[in-house]
Amino acid sequence: SPLCFAVPGLCFLLSLSGVVAQKTKGTCTHCPQNAFCVNATHCTCNHGYNSESREKYFTYRFETCEDIDECKPPISIYCGVNAECQNTIGSFYCHCIAGYKLLSGKAQFSNSNENTCQSKKIFYKRNTTSTVTAILQRVELKVLETALKTPDQEIQKVQKSTVAVETRVVTDNCSEGVTFSLNAQVNSMKIHCNDVIQGNIQGASAVAFISYSSLGNIINATFFEEMNEKDQVYLKSQVVSAAIGPKKNTSLSQPVILSFQHMKVKPGVENFCVYWKGTKEGGRWSKDGCALTQVNETHTICSSTHLSSFAVLMALRGQEEDPALTMITYVGLSLSLLCLLLAALTFLLCKAIQNTSTSLHLQLSLCLFLAHLLFLTAIDRTENKVLCAIIAGALHYLYLASFTWMLLEGLHLFLTARNLAVVNYSSVNKLIKWLMFPVGYGVPAVIVAISAASRPHLYGTRDRCWLHLDQKFIWAFLGPVCAIICVNFVFFLMVFWILKRKLSSLNSEVSTIRNIKMLTLKAAAQLFILGCTWFLGLLQVGPAARVMAYLFTIINSLQGVFIFLVYCLLSQQVQKWFGEIIKSKSESEAYTLSSRFGPDSKPSQVKRKY
């Protein structure tokens, strides 16, 4: 322009401002990646992206669009329980956490409304029950179709290793009061004829009774809808199915009667008649419409108002906690722990009674103290199965060690009594000291190691961290305990016999003999107190269970009190030691008082003297 020739510097400034204007006011033809044009004038980022300047609409051609992380603040997409958010470039998705799976089987979903994350265990159980429900229905349908194809064969039977079937075809009207009885394997069914022909259906009708020998291993008692966490429920019979065709029945005029032979026999259980209830989620055992009519040692009779697949369940009910027993346990064991601690300190510090026998009492007190402490604080820590098994193993070891130390006490008493004629008892003491720790702590360790290696899964029950009753595993503890009690009983009888014989011939050793006799009586009483506890625990069944539970708890809480009372408080040497401690403490207090007031009294005495 003419102005540019006149003023060149001005033209330079104008051209520079034009470049800046072009930079700040670009058109839609220059929208960056991951953005699109709006009204042919501005650009905006695609969904899932934000502009670097955080402006929704922009014209700057060098603007960039960055991915939004929807899984982090401030958005933090919520995917629902057992699920988490996963960011992707420009978007996100939800997925189930480890150990969970969508019911649809898909790997991901969009939002919490689509969340169907289920535990894989539950997921596979639902798949299993859905499959079983479908199989049961198909088998019933196929069996009925086969029976109706040959109506001239009134009764048909099939016996296989896994399934047994009996069908009955009815072509005529029913006589009054007629019922049909069908048998399959060891089970049977009775059904009224009128329910088979179902009123005015034209043509033949059929009823089928099917018994499955191994289906119960798949749809076992864990599928019982009323199962409580503390209950132990088992399948007691085979699974059977009952069906009517060609039209599926909706209701029965009279209940069908089912007889089951028991596959498992356990006394003192509760029995349930159940049927397989198909649901959208798969299926489960239910008691609806099923009633228990009769039960004996070998068979259970059930009645049902509808036809389906049936079985008998048995439940070992978990015992409800008694507040009084809980209180006795905590108070009693706390008192026992205090007494055991005082007894151990007495055995350690009182030099007047320190000998081999006292060393045995000390180890027994320590084992019982640790066992009671662990019992009191961790017996019901069943949340973690591995930890519970370790606690059960530790209790097994500590209680066995307690009985082993009692066995060593019995052996020591027997050897001492046998060597009464010998002036020097050092040989007895050397033998016991040599056997003491290897036997006292080694033998229980070997027993627990063998038990844990052979059946580790039986350490810890549903309610307590103790030995399981299944497969008679409790005898890994009760067996050695019974053996120790029997051996010690023999030792005590032999000691009393020896002492009786010695009393008549060794008048000079009467006091020694009487001391041994008294010690033997104390050890026998101690063995009775500790052994009696576990036998009372075994008797906690039937009508007397509650009484035995109270006796078990009370006597168990007295173990530490008994040891402290008999071996410490009733011992003349310990009483003398306690007296010396009290006397020295009194003298120390008197000396402290005299030293405190002494300087004030001396000057007055001196003044009066002069």
Side-chain angles (χ1 to χ4, degrees):
S1 74
L3 183 61
C4 288
F5 287 103
V7 190
L10 182 60
C11 289
F12 173 76
L13 292 173
L14 289 172
S15 64
L16 183 62
S17 63
V19 171
V20 174
Q22 186 178 3
K23 179 177 181 180
T24 58
K25 294 183 180 180
T27 63
C28 283
T29 57
H30 301 97
C31 288
Q33 187 179 5
N34 300 319
F36 61 94
C37 182
V38 179
N39 296 331
T41 57
H42 293 77
C43 298
T44 187
C45 293
N46 294 337
H47 181 73
Y49 293 87
N50 252 343
S51 65
E52 187 178 8
S53 63
R54 295 297 183 266
E55 293 182 359
K56 186 174 183 181
Y57 301 103
F58 55 86
T59 57
Y60 176 43
R61 64 181 297 180
F62 296 108
E63 183 70 87
T64 58
C65 290
E66 301 172 339
D67 173 54
I68 300 173
D69 192 342
E70 293 88 352
C71 301
K72 292 182 179 179
I75 301 177
S76 300
I77 294 292
Y78 176 66
C79 293
V81 294
N82 303 322
E84 61 186 8
C85 176
Q86 178 66 51
N87 185 60
T88 60
I89 301 300
S91 186
F92 73 95
Y93 65 87
C94 295
H95 66 94
C96 300
I97 61 175
Y100 291 81
K101 192 173 183 180
L102 289 171
L103 289 178
S104 62
K106 295 180 179 179
Q108 60 191 52
F109 55 98
S110 301
N111 54 62
S112 59
N113 294 331
E114 300 176 7
N115 185 337
T116 58
C117 294
Q118 294 283 341
S119 167
K120 285 186 178 179
K121 187 176 181 180
I122 296 175
F123 178 82
Y124 291 128
K125 283 180 73 173
R126 286 186 173 180
N127 281 349
T128 300
T129 55
S130 297
T131 303
V132 168
T133 301
I135 290 173
L136 289 171
Q137 292 172 352
R138 284 200 296 268
V139 170
E140 292 173 8
L141 183 61
K142 191 67 177 177
V143 168
L144 289 171
E145 287 180 351
T146 303
L148 290 170
K149 284 180 180 178
T150 54
D152 53 317
Q153 297 183 19
E154 184 179 351
I155 298 174
Q156 297 184 35
K157 293 186 178 183
V158 177
Q159 179 73 46
K160 300 290 183 180
S161 59
T162 57
V163 65
V165 179
E166 182 173 344
T167 60
R168 187 180 186 100
V169 179
V170 182
T171 55
D172 302 325
N173 292 331
C174 296
S175 302
E176 186 177 352
V178 173
T179 59
F180 299 131
S181 179
L182 292 88
N183 299 276
Q185 292 177 338
V186 292
N187 309 299
S188 63
M189 176 184 73
K190 290 183 178 180
I191 188 171
H192 199 274
C193 177
N194 288 330
D195 290 321
V196 177
I197 63 173
Q198 303 179 62
N200 57 358
I201 292 180
Q202 300 296 322
S205 298
V207 56
F209 184 59
I210 309 163
S211 180
Y212 303 92
S213 59
S214 56
L215 188 60
N217 296 331
I218 302 173
I219 49 173
N220 52 37
T222 60
F223 296 96
F224 183 39
E225 64 181 2
E226 297 182 23
M227 184 176 178
N228 189 290
E229 289 184 0
K230 292 188 176 182
D231 295 341
Q232 299 179 42
V233 184
Y234 303 92
L235 197 67
K236 197 173 186 178
S237 69
Q238 293 176 339
V239 177
V240 302
S241 294
I244 292 173
K247 181 181 177 181
K248 191 171 183 179
N249 71 305
T250 55
S251 61
L252 300 175
S253 61
Q254 296 184 25
V256 62
I257 305 300
L258 301 159
S259 176
F260 297 89
Q261 182 172 307
H262 300 160
M263 297 293 104
K264 290 184 178 180
V265 178
K266 285 195 175 186
V269 299
E270 186 175 358
N271 296 289
F272 303 102
C273 296
V274 294
Y275 84 101
W276 186 251
K277 184 178 182 180
T279 63
K280 292 181 180 179
E281 293 78 19
R284 61 181 184 272
W285 292 114
S286 173
K287 295 194 298 182
D288 295 343
C290 297
L292 180 66
T293 304
Q294 184 182 349
V295 62
N296 56 36
E297 291 183 0
T298 59
H299 288 79
T300 295
I301 310 298
C302 301
S303 65
S304 175
T305 57
H306 54 81
L307 296 184
S308 180
S309 296
F310 303 91
V312 176
L313 304 180
M314 60 180 180
L316 300 173
R317 291 295 189 189
Q319 294 183 353
E320 295 183 359
E321 291 188 3
D322 187 337
L325 274 177
T326 303
M327 180 62 69
I328 293 172
T329 299
Y330 278 94
V331 174
L333 285 183
S334 299
L335 180 62
S336 188
L337 285 172
L338 176 62
C339 291
L340 286 169
L341 180 61
L342 292 174
L345 290 174
T346 303
F347 296 145
L348 279 171
L349 300 177
C350 184
K351 294 182 180 179
I353 62 170
Q354 287 182 354
N355 51 38
T356 303
S357 181
T358 304
S359 298
L360 295 171
H361 299 334
L362 173 62
Q363 300 304 320
L364 170 62
S365 299
L366 290 175
C367 289
L368 271 181
F369 179 85
L370 293 174
H372 286 347
L373 182 62
L374 188 61
F375 183 94
L376 195 63
T377 57
I379 188 66
D380 56 352
R381 303 293 183 186
T382 57
E383 302 87 4
N384 187 313
K385 290 185 179 180
V386 175
L387 178 61
C388 185
I390 294 172
I391 293 169
L395 285 171
H396 186 196
Y397 173 77
L398 289 170
Y399 281 122
L400 274 182
S402 302
F403 278 94
T404 307
W405 284 108
M406 284 192 293
L407 176 65
L408 288 171
E409 284 188 3
L411 176 63
H412 176 250
L413 288 170
F414 169 70
L415 292 176
T416 304
R418 193 167 74 71
N419 289 275
L420 271 176
V422 182
V423 176
N424 186 6
Y425 299 106
S426 59
S427 60
V428 175
N429 290 333
K430 284 182 180 179
L431 177 62
I432 294 297
K433 288 179 179 178
W434 184 80
L435 289 173
M436 187 184 298
F437 289 99
V439 174
Y441 290 114
V443 171
V446 171
I447 295 173
V448 173
I450 294 173
S451 302
S454 60
R455 294 183 179 89
H457 60 285
L458 295 180
Y459 275 101
T461 68
R462 188 187 297 260
D463 303 320
R464 295 287 184 268
C465 296
W466 184 234
L467 278 64
H468 214 289
L469 297 177
D470 285 356
Q471 303 178 28
K472 299 181 180 179
F473 188 63
I474 189 64
W475 286 99
F477 172 73
L478 292 178
V481 167
C482 291
I484 289 172
I485 291 174
C486 292
V487 172
N488 259 2
F489 183 71
V490 173
F491 279 153
F492 295 153
L493 288 178
M494 295 177 70
V495 168
F496 287 132
W497 179 75
I498 291 172
L499 294 179
K500 183 180 179 181
R501 188 181 63 178
K502 292 291 183 181
L503 277 172
S504 59
S505 59
L506 297 174
N507 295 327
S508 61
E509 297 185 9
V510 169
S511 60
T512 304
I513 293 172
R514 284 178 178 172
N515 287 336
I516 296 174
K517 188 175 182 179
M518 182 58 66
L519 197 60
T520 305
L521 286 171
K522 291 178 180 180
Q526 169 188 284
L527 184 67
F528 173 77
I529 290 291
L530 268 71
C532 178
T533 301
W534 297 104
F535 282 112
L536 288 173
L538 281 177
L539 297 174
Q540 292 184 38
V541 292
R546 194 175 187 84
V547 176
M548 293 302 171
Y550 274 92
L551 289 174
F552 172 86
T553 305
I554 293 170
I555 296 177
N556 190 56
S557 65
L558 291 176
Q559 292 174 355
V561 177
F562 173 84
I563 290 175
F564 181 63
L565 177 66
V566 171
Y567 292 111
C568 297
L569 293 184
L570 297 181
S571 170
Q572 293 181 353
Q573 293 171 308
V574 175
Q575 290 174 6
K576 184 179 178 181
W577 179 63
F578 282 154
E580 291 175 354
I581 292 175
I582 295 171
K583 183 179 178 181
S584 63
K585 186 177 181 182
S586 301
E587 291 176 352
S588 176
E589 289 177 354
Y591 175 77
T592 302
L593 289 171
S594 65
S595 63
R596 180 180 300 174
F597 297 106
D600 295 333
S601 60
K602 275 187 176 182
S604 61
Q605 292 175 0
V606 172
K607 188 175 180 180
R608 285 196 297 270
K609 183 177 180 182
Y610 283 97

